[in-house]
Amino acid sequence: MIIMTIFLEVIREFEKKWQKKWQEDQIFVGKIDHSRPKWFITVPYPYASGAFHLGHARTYNLGDIYARFKRQRGYNVFYPMAWHITGTPVLSVSWTIKNNEEKAWETYRDYVGIYEDDPKKIDEIVGTFVEPQNVANFFSSTILQDFLNLGFSIDDTRQFTTGDPDYNKFIEWQYGILNEKNYITKGSYPILWCVNDKNAVGEDDIQDGDLLKVEVSEFVGIKFKLNSGTALVAATLRPETIFGATNVWIHPEAIYNEIMIDGEKWIVSEEATMKLSEQEHTIEIIRELKGKELVNEEVTVPITNWKIPIYPAMFVDTDHATGVVYSVPAHAPYDYAALVDLQNDDETIENYNLVRDSLSKIIPISLIEVKGYGEFPAVELCEKLGVQSQKDREELEKATQTIYKDEFYSGIMKDNTGDFKGLKVEQAKDAVAEKLEKVNLATTIYEASERSFCRCGGQVIVAVLQDQYFLNYGDSEWKEQAFYALKNMEIIPEKYRQAFENTFHWLDKRPCVRKRGLGTEFPLTKGEGWIIESLSDSVIYMSYYTIVRTIRQNNIKPEQLKPELFDFIFRDKGKVEEIIELTGISKDLLMEMKDSFEYWYPNDFRHTAIGHLSNHLSFAIYHHVAIFPEKYWMQTISISEMLNRFGQKMGKSKGNVIAMGHIPRKYSVDLTRLHLASVATVDTVLDWREDEVNFAKQRLRKFWEYATSVTKISKISEEDFSFPSKVLISSVKTNLKKAIERIENFNARDFVLDGFYSNVRAIDEYQKIAQHLPEKERNTILREIIEKIIATMSPVIPHICEELNERMGDKEYNSLKQIPDIVISYQDELYALEAKFMANLIEDIEQIVKLVKTKPKKIHIYINAEWKNELYKIAQEIFEDEAFKISKMMNAVKENSKLSKYMKDIANEAKLMMKDPTIFRIEMLSSKEQEEAIMGYKEFIIRTFDKAEVLIHLADEKDIYDPQNKAQKARPMKPALLLE
RNA sequence: GCGGGGAUUGCCGAGUGGUCAAAGGCGCUGGACUUAGGAUCCAGUCCUUAGUGGUUCGGGAGUUCGAAUCUCCCUCCCCGCACCA
């Protein structure tokens, strides 16, 4: 037995050896070959802004297993790889490194440290990251090496990055077609915006953006007219509560602006003026004023036309929406708390000369009926949660959330809400806003859901961009085509199809240009600095694999890549002579590209992680239908779930990362591949646990030991193997056949379970049962089945299989060897059933031995009378689909000459069958076959039970030894036992 | 909230109408090997019992000869919801 660490060292050694050979002989480079069916698989090209980890490895590992399997099943497989670098991430790496952000440096030192030991060199490399290109270069080369180190059978001669100038031409061409088809539209759109950069910001750009999850919120700004006619604009998420407004709150000490906005006079906070100016308004500041100047004035409530006063409140946040709030104490906890505070606050009343009388007259106005609450939900909840004052923000927040939810979903508008009475709050909310907007008493105001700041320090607000370009995924024709494409696609696992459909349904306009990040310049606004957003770089890029090598090898210049050329290659448009004329590219090269595309496309299989479903994958389907003829649309999408470690998603902040670059040393490649593929089904989150890896390691080692013990055994054909050997061979065959069927359906897990683990177990079993057999036979058998296993399991553990294949004297690459079809004969099935029968029988004996606690000297095995098999067979036929009935059984038996003589026994038997109708619904062996099986395992039974004598009795025979009358109790597949 | 996916025996996790008391692993228990082992190997692991019995698959109701598997209701958990790739 070899010690574990040595075992891993051994296999790591030849893992490297084989990777080098594969690489040198370029055996995975895709070549056109019309004699074989092609199979083009893609797994998303990596985003080259950081190191990859085990979670990524899961996705790529599955892709590689599928690729290798198809390759070994006669397909000409094309499995290329490229690099995504466009968008903001690579740029923001450079940016943070350039700014000497300590956290970024730390992160990137870690990443680089995966590949480099010397701290000085690490710093040097990280230092180069100030140039985005260096980031992309570093990570594309290290990740590629990681992939090759994991034995991935990729074609690395098709590499490109999405930032390459020739690729930019390709994307430009794509947008030309989208524009031609009117899938690009223009409009205004609210986005998160940094006031400092004057730029759109995403989660990456916001400080703690991943935690804050800042979104655009849409408020309704309601115009409360002052007597002067100027509108005090209060922003709300709940316009329906306008009927319960009792007063307006304003921050007395803050600065407000009176502004002329789109021809109207408004008063809003100073901050709001700035924000509104970014939201498609023309604004002129008329004057500045302090909040307290408005206190005690009256405003008119829209719709009801009531006059309500303006009161001071310190809780008003002028940097939130408009800095003006209308008070609905019946339904808004904050308002209620503030009102009570104010009514009891003599100092403030005095300071601002409030009229005590009218203030104390203010009482909540209820306008929503909601189950589980009385007249004034806010009042109730404040009391319940023990709110003392407006300063109890935590309780107030909770109360607000609760009421919002309860009222929104189960509230009904009361009689005092005019036209809206009886409406559900859910509906009234929009209806009231709509009515207000119609009479120009309300307008939409956007605000960020959280107060947040850009990494540059600037505040994040919501801006409305005009003339923003969108991809119109809502276009009915486009959508329809996408649905049509989806319908004809295979989705694995099928359960995700629904998610695609839902995504397609809600997909609508999506902004497609940005001012920041790397990428292709937007062709419709050349020179204005607009970049095509980066997801558009990753939706039809698979087609570029088919031509990129020709472009690079022949030094074709980006400017030669005219749209007409792409049309010619990808859409079969135009004449070759015209393209030669236009681009100056030779006919040979043009046709090489066109042939390559037409040979490899469509993308037969795309495997990816689930996170891409609602965006990348959906867009990929959309863009394919827009750009390519139908025969080139994607065929299959396969999805796998995420990977966890210690119950959490792998992430730097969690400290649970296993870097992809560390896998070969930490475990071994084949070990990792095996375990990744087999520990969970693709649609469940995989939890990586070291102690479970250990199991895989042990089994792998065991397999290795079995295999290496027989690599030198020469094959001899020996017809007359003993029973256990025959059982082993057919069970291995059966397992492998099952395994192949599994992986044909892209079920890698069961492929490993059936093809590997079950077979190792079968060999274990054989070793025990076959101890008494001649060594020569055992070794020959072992050698034969090991050969079968390495041929089939190669897609998962290619290195070990390759090595064993060589050691067994085969000069060909195992990775290119065909996995043969396996034919299971009737005889094989019989052996399998016999083995199962024996396992049950031995278990029964063991159970009894355990219970009686004495070692038997004799084991009598009684095999059922053959007529019982007949009886069961008949029962199976009659009661296939209905309840067992004794009378029906007996009637059927009466007609049967073989059975009619046992009527009395059958009656007993029928009672048992009545009691447990499953006993006859089984696969059976005849009495003879049962006997044969027991004979085959006799030696083993004797050995297992300490040399007990094994005596087999057939119930059909006369004068058998049966002191306890057991023979009649024997059932098919369930012999009766007597231990003495 | 909307949409999707789930809930299985101590834990993880298979299983989608009949050998299902339910694969496999982990953990635990016992044994072997060993100076020792938290290394490795073997065995056991719902309760009961000379095996063919009982109670289980989130809770409740139903369909069926038969349900972990199908239907309905309830409770709880996870994921996505766009300008981030």
Side-chain angles (χ1 to χ4, degrees):
Chain A
M1 190 197 296
I2 44 175
I3 297 164
M4 196 52 86
T5 50
I6 297 180
F7 165 67
L8 286 183
E9 272 167 37
V10 169
I11 64 172
R12 280 184 201 127
E13 205 52 48
F14 61 69
E15 279 170 358
K16 277 184 247 157
K17 164 184 153 190
W18 287 106
Q19 284 162 9
K20 201 163 155 247
K21 280 177 177 267
W22 294 334
Q23 205 49 30
E24 279 168 6
D25 290 347
Q26 298 219 322
I27 64 170
F28 302 128
V29 172
K31 293 188 189 81
I32 293 176
D33 172 2
H34 290 282
S35 72
R36 286 182 291 160
K38 64 93 188 177
W39 199 69
F40 178 19
I41 175 175
T42 58
V43 183
Y45 49 9
Y47 199 97
S49 66
F52 266 25
H53 58 62
L54 188 65
H56 301 104
R58 184 187 191 191
T59 313
Y60 291 89
N61 187 47
L62 284 164
D64 191 57
I65 290 170
Y66 301 152
R68 283 177 172 273
F69 177 72
K70 284 288 180 181
R71 193 178 290 117
Q72 290 188 254
R73 289 289 278 178
Y75 288 87
N76 187 20
V77 168
F78 187 39
Y79 182 21
M81 197 59 70
W83 312 97
H84 195 189
I85 67 162
T86 40
T88 50
V90 163
L91 204 64
S92 88
V93 172
S94 295
W95 204 74
T96 51
I97 294 296
K98 204 183 288 175
N99 284 311
N100 280 316
E101 283 183 25
E102 195 39 50
K103 246 169 89 185
W105 269 86
E106 216 174 276
T107 301
Y108 282 86
R109 277 194 193 108
D110 281 358
Y111 282 160
V112 175
I114 297 165
Y115 309 99
E116 179 59 58
D117 293 329
D118 179 9
K120 257 177 77 184
K121 220 150 172 204
I122 292 174
D123 273 13
E124 214 173 280
I125 294 171
V126 175
T128 67
F129 288 174
V130 296
E131 279 304 318
Q133 197 54 47
N134 292 336
V135 178
N137 287 346
F138 181 82
F139 288 109
S140 57
S141 66
T142 51
I143 293 171
L144 176 69
Q145 202 49 55
D146 286 348
F147 283 174
L148 296 175
N149 289 346
L150 287 176
F152 293 161
S153 59
I154 52 180
D155 177 347
D156 61 350
T157 66
R158 315 275 177 164
Q159 294 182 68
F160 61 89
T161 84
T162 54
D164 297 338
D166 54 343
Y167 189 76
N168 293 154
K169 292 288 172 193
F170 172 69
I171 294 301
E172 205 179 309
W173 164 74
Q174 175 188 211
Y175 262 64
I177 295 172
L178 295 175
N179 187 43
E180 215 171 85
K181 297 202 164 183
N182 287 323
Y183 293 159
I184 296 175
T185 58
K186 246 168 141 182
S188 59
Y189 195 74
I191 50 156
L192 295 174
W193 177 264
C194 169
V195 296
N196 191 23
D197 289 346
K198 296 278 176 202
N199 249 326
V201 289
E203 196 176 293
D204 283 349
D205 309 312
I206 298 170
Q207 294 177 22
D208 298 319
D210 51 333
L211 303 171
L212 290 172
K213 300 275 176 214
V214 187
E215 295 168 27
V216 173
S217 311
E218 199 176 314
F219 284 77
V220 180
I222 300 179
K223 300 170 190 174
F224 291 80
K225 294 273 173 70
L226 289 153
N227 291 333
S228 64
T230 298
L232 191 55
V233 180
T236 182
L237 289 167
R238 303 192 56 186
E240 80 283 4
T241 59
I242 191 78
F243 299 100
T246 58
N247 61 283
V248 170
W249 298 115
I250 203 151
H251 196 298
E253 302 306 324
I255 309 286
Y256 286 78
N257 291 149
E258 184 170 355
I259 57 176
M260 182 61 81
I261 175 167
D262 307 330
E264 290 178 25
K265 274 187 191 166
W266 288 12
I267 291 177
V268 294
S269 73
E270 193 182 22
E271 294 92 330
T273 306
M274 180 273 287
K275 292 175 192 167
L276 286 168
S277 68
E278 298 288 356
Q279 295 184 6
E280 260 194 315
H281 298 290
T282 32
I283 291 178
E284 204 181 302
I285 299 175
I286 300 168
R287 65 174 177 126
E288 255 184 25
L289 63 155
K290 269 216 162 168
K292 61 182 166 196
E293 291 176 45
L294 296 165
V295 169
N296 288 328
E297 283 205 45
E298 277 186 340
V299 292
T300 308
V301 180
I303 303 180
T304 65
N305 288 322
W306 297 336
K307 295 278 188 190
I308 58 170
I310 299 169
Y311 284 138
M314 303 303 279
F315 82 88
V316 171
D317 179 357
T318 52
D319 197 14
H320 187 248
T322 56
V324 180
V325 179
Y326 71 85
S327 178
V328 188
H331 301 281
Y334 272 110
D335 295 339
Y336 175 67
L339 178 65
V340 174
D341 282 358
L342 184 63
Q343 286 173 335
N344 296 321
D345 183 356
D346 295 340
E347 205 185 317
T348 304
I349 291 172
E350 208 129 303
N351 270 347
Y352 298 105
N353 295 318
L354 306 184
V355 183
R356 200 179 285 272
D357 255 12
S358 42
L359 175 60
S360 56
K361 264 193 229 148
I362 291 186
I363 48 160
I365 301 168
S366 177
L367 70 132
I368 293 166
E369 176 91 54
V370 55
K371 233 167 85 185
Y373 292 93
E375 187 82 350
F376 307 116
V379 180
E380 258 174 60
L381 218 51
C382 280
E383 277 163 12
K384 202 170 140 197
L385 294 172
V387 173
Q388 300 292 321
S389 79
Q390 56 188 299
K391 289 183 186 116
D392 296 334
R393 299 201 80 108
E394 205 175 300
E395 287 80 7
L396 283 166
E397 199 50 48
K398 196 173 158 201
T400 303
Q401 296 292 334
T402 309
I403 289 184
Y404 184 90
K405 216 172 138 182
D406 289 346
E407 294 191 337
F408 185 78
Y409 295 109
S410 53
I412 303 289
M413 301 297 280
K414 286 187 173 175
D415 289 349
N416 58 349
T417 59
D419 297 348
F420 304 98
K421 76 171 181 191
L423 276 185
K424 286 182 177 170
V425 169
E426 208 175 336
Q427 298 156 342
K429 190 180 147 176
D430 293 336
V432 172
E434 204 177 304
K435 177 165 179 182
L436 288 170
E437 275 173 42
K438 223 171 172 177
V439 295
N440 195 28
L441 284 171
T443 189
T444 303
I445 290 173
Y446 296 103
E447 175 65 294
S449 63
E450 307 287 331
R451 176 170 310 208
S452 60
F453 296 90
C454 177
R455 287 192 191 280
C456 76
Q459 191 183 355
V460 173
I461 63 161
V462 176
V464 175
L465 293 193
Q466 302 175 49
D467 293 340
Q468 172 86 338
Y469 284 92
F470 297 87
L471 282 175
N472 188 7
Y473 293 129
D475 182 285
S476 59
E477 188 198 338
W478 199 3
K479 191 166 278 207
E480 205 175 290
Q481 285 235 299
F483 267 110
Y484 170 70
L486 178 66
K487 218 176 104 199
N488 292 309
M489 285 174 69
E490 198 176 345
I491 306 293
I492 301 170
E494 178 64 27
K495 72 174 182 184
Y496 293 121
R497 183 180 296 278
Q498 186 70 42
F500 275 106
E501 285 173 3
N502 294 332
T503 303
F504 284 15
H505 277 304
W506 70 251
L507 271 178
D508 198 6
K509 293 190 182 65
R510 185 175 198 274
C512 61
V513 292
R514 309 193 66 194
K515 282 265 178 169
R516 327 169 47 236
L518 305 173
T520 302
E521 188 176 15
F522 185 58
L524 301 184
T525 56
K526 284 245 164 133
E528 290 177 26
W530 287 102
I531 301 295
I532 292 172
E533 62 82 36
S534 89
L535 265 172
S536 291
D537 287 330
S538 60
V539 286
I540 57 164
Y541 77 98
M542 312 78 161
S543 61
Y544 204 67
Y545 283 129
T546 64
I547 62 167
V548 65
R549 200 170 60 187
T550 306
I551 293 172
R552 302 292 166 93
Q553 280 178 351
N554 299 286
N555 211 14
I556 295 174
K557 301 273 178 299
E559 51 276 18
Q560 292 176 282
L561 302 174
K562 307 269 191 232
E564 291 81 359
L565 169 124
F566 292 123
D567 279 341
F568 176 68
I569 297 170
F570 296 129
R571 310 176 84 202
D572 202 22
K573 288 199 167 153
K575 295 211 166 64
V576 67
E577 291 76 21
E578 293 163 14
I579 310 299
I580 296 169
E581 173 86 34
L582 196 64
T583 63
I585 300 170
S586 74
K587 185 173 180 183
D588 284 354
L589 294 181
L590 283 176
M591 292 317 291
E592 184 179 311
M593 289 192 273
K594 190 168 164 60
D595 289 346
S596 174
F597 172 72
E598 287 175 357
Y599 177 74
W600 292 116
Y601 234 63
N603 187 182
D604 297 284
F605 196 92
R606 180 157 183 80
H607 179 75
T608 176
I610 188 158
H612 294 133
L613 193 154
S614 64
N615 41 62
H616 160 81
L617 284 171
S618 294
F619 301 155
I621 295 171
Y622 261 81
H623 286 240
H624 267 77
V625 302
I627 304 296
F628 298 110
E630 185 173 343
K631 62 180 170 176
Y632 296 132
W633 294 356
M634 293 200 293
Q635 304 294 300
T636 303
I637 282 177
S638 157
I639 287 164
S640 59
E641 258 289 355
M642 310 298 289
L643 178 141
N644 279 354
R645 188 166 180 234
F646 309 135
Q648 283 186 309
K649 199 168 158 178
M650 253 188 207
K652 273 192 55 58
S653 57
K654 308 278 180 5
N656 62 353
V657 172
I658 296 172
M660 202 184 249
H662 287 152
I663 288 171
R665 272 177 287 153
K666 187 171 167 62
Y667 305 102
S668 114
V669 178
D670 278 354
L671 171 59
T672 308
R673 294 176 61 112
L674 181 77
H675 193 60
L676 272 179
S678 64
V679 75
T681 48
V682 291
D683 62 335
T684 53
V685 178
L686 184 161
D687 200 6
W688 184 264
R689 306 171 174 203
E690 300 301 327
D691 45 15
E692 290 182 349
V693 181
N694 195 43
F695 161 78
K697 187 161 74 181
Q698 284 157 20
R699 289 306 149 104
L700 201 58
R701 197 204 61 195
K702 198 168 210 178
F703 174 71
W704 173 253
E705 282 172 8
Y706 283 140
T708 47
S709 72
V710 296
T711 47
K712 296 289 176 264
I713 301 296
S714 58
K715 271 197 271 186
I716 41 166
S717 71
E718 203 168 328
E719 288 306 310
D720 199 27
F721 290 135
S722 50
F723 185 72
S725 298
K726 287 181 188 161
V727 168
L728 175 66
I729 289 182
S730 69
S731 80
V732 169
K733 267 167 65 183
T734 307
N735 288 336
L736 289 176
K737 186 179 171 68
K738 240 195 275 176
I740 292 168
E741 282 164 11
R742 302 296 202 170
I743 193 70
E744 294 276 15
N745 293 313
F746 304 102
N747 180 347
R749 179 176 198 264
D750 286 333
F751 176 59
V752 177
L753 258 38
D754 290 328
F756 185 76
Y757 288 114
S758 295
N759 282 333
V760 173
R761 203 166 294 120
I763 301 172
D764 282 346
E765 206 50 33
Y766 177 70
Q767 296 298 327
K768 279 190 285 176
I769 291 165
Q771 259 178 44
H772 61 286
L773 298 180
E775 200 183 326
K776 196 172 150 204
E777 175 177 340
R778 280 188 291 145
N779 285 340
T780 309
I781 293 295
L782 198 52
R783 152 100 194 193
E784 192 175 324
I785 61 166
I786 293 286
E787 252 179 59
K788 285 187 166 52
I789 295 171
I790 64 170
T792 309
M793 295 318 293
S794 172
V796 179
I797 46 172
H799 308 83
I800 284 181
C801 293
E802 197 76 79
E803 177 72 15
L804 289 171
N805 182 58
E806 186 189 54
R807 291 191 190 191
M808 291 197 295
D810 194 329
K811 298 270 189 288
E812 302 292 309
Y813 277 118
N814 193 57
S815 298
L816 299 179
K817 226 194 230 175
Q818 293 306 291
I819 296 171
D821 279 324
I822 291 171
V823 180
I824 301 296
S825 63
Y826 168 74
Q827 195 53 243
D828 288 319
E829 280 168 17
L830 186 61
Y831 285 138
L833 194 55
E834 284 175 340
K836 194 168 160 192
F837 164 71
M838 286 313 297
N840 286 338
L841 176 61
I842 290 166
E843 205 183 299
D844 280 350
I845 300 172
E846 271 168 350
Q847 247 184 79
I848 298 169
V849 169
K850 216 173 92 186
L851 288 168
V852 298
K853 289 182 185 117
T854 49
K855 283 180 185 162
K857 288 217 169 51
K858 287 183 181 173
I859 300 172
H860 297 275
I861 301 172
Y862 299 90
I863 294 172
N864 64 286
E866 186 64 32
W867 62 262
K868 285 193 187 173
N869 284 53
E870 194 65 28
L871 178 70
Y872 280 18
K873 249 179 246 161
I874 292 170
Q876 278 177 34
E877 277 163 31
I878 300 176
F879 304 111
E880 195 190 349
D881 232 1
E882 58 182 286
F884 182 84
K885 270 211 192 82
I886 293 182
S887 56
K888 197 164 179 183
M889 181 83 252
M890 299 310 283
N891 281 335
V893 165
K894 255 188 264 169
E895 316 294 310
N896 189 309
S897 58
K898 277 192 238 163
L899 294 173
S900 50
K901 50 188 159 179
Y902 303 110
M903 288 310 278
K904 209 168 159 192
D905 293 323
I906 288 172
N908 284 331
E909 207 61 30
K911 271 182 217 156
L912 288 176
M913 290 158 85
M914 185 69 197
K915 212 171 139 198
D916 180 3
T918 60
I919 61 172
F920 61 85
R921 296 175 204 273
I922 53 169
E923 268 189 288
M924 288 178 286
L925 293 169
S926 68
S927 313
K928 204 94 214 112
E929 289 160 344
Q930 292 181 58
E931 186 187 10
E932 198 181 285
I934 299 167
M935 289 303 290
Y937 276 55
K938 197 169 167 187
E939 293 293 332
F940 174 61
I941 300 172
I942 292 169
R943 207 171 341 114
T944 306
F945 297 102
D946 283 323
K947 297 187 180 141
E949 195 181 341
V950 173
L951 300 132
I952 304 169
H953 310 283
L954 294 171
D956 276 333
E957 280 172 9
K958 283 179 185 156
D959 301 328
I960 55 171
Y961 174 79
D962 189 8
Q964 290 190 24
N965 211 7
K966 291 275 187 185
Q968 61 159 356
K969 287 189 179 165
R971 298 200 319 250
M973 301 303 275
K974 198 84 186 166
L977 295 166
L978 175 65
L979 307 194
E980 292 184 322

